[in-house]
Amino acid sequence: MEDVDYQHLSTLLWREQELLDLLLFKAEEKQYLILTGKTRWLARIAHEIEVVLDQLRTLEVERAAATEAIAVRLGLGANPSLRQLAEKAPTPWNDLFAKHHEALLVLVTDLRSLSDANRELIDGGLAAIGDVLQSTRTPSAGTYTAAGRNAGNAHRAVTLDGAL
């Protein structure tokens, strides 16, 4: 029965890595859409990302239960980290759990970096749109010269997609 629990947890960890890898792919797709100005697909990719996040949340609950069952058997406290579990697990599970831990850390680090980069791109795009909107406002009365020309900023042709 013991090996079954370890195998079950390992299977859950593999599934978590697959979902995190898919999430990384979706984040890269989002970055591509932002960089190329294909904003019409951003809502769809946001939905796809949310679906993956929901799957990860469900998996996390199952993984926590499987981890807790093994932790009790190994004499670990409540809610142990994967690293703590790997240190106490018997061979070959200790090595396998340590490798899962390393792989998950890499994926999470990559996701954080890409998420931060995407957030900066979106913030930069929103700021650029604000600048464009500010520069294209209709001047108020009294801002024309005696010759009837605009005394303020001249209107410019602006492509909003280029601002993104």
Side-chain angles (χ1 to χ4, degrees), residues 1-90:
M1 182 68 178
E2 189 172 302
D3 276 349
V4 172
D5 290 342
Y6 289 118
Q7 180 60 49
H8 179 64
L9 179 58
S10 182
T11 299
L12 293 173
L13 292 167
W14 279 116
R15 179 69 182 134
E16 187 173 4
Q17 285 180 52
E18 290 171 352
L19 287 172
L20 287 172
D21 193 55
L22 179 58
L23 190 59
L24 185 61
F25 171 70
K26 295 295 179 187
E28 287 183 4
E29 277 184 320
K30 183 177 180 178
Q31 186 176 65
Y32 169 78
L33 293 173
I34 294 166
L35 289 172
T36 59
K38 298 179 188 276
T39 56
R40 72 180 265 196
W41 300 112
L42 286 176
R44 173 175 263 173
I45 197 70
H47 172 72
E48 290 176 3
I49 288 171
E50 193 56 42
V51 167
V52 175
L53 288 172
D54 285 343
Q55 292 173 352
L56 276 165
R57 286 183 202 105
T58 301
L59 182 67
E60 183 59 31
V61 171
E62 191 174 354
R63 178 169 85 101
T67 300
E68 199 67 30
I70 293 171
V72 168
R73 190 175 315 120
L74 295 175
L76 293 170
N79 199 22
S81 69
L82 185 53
R83 182 182 308 185
Q84 291 170 322
L85 197 68
E87 290 170 357
K88 289 281 195 169

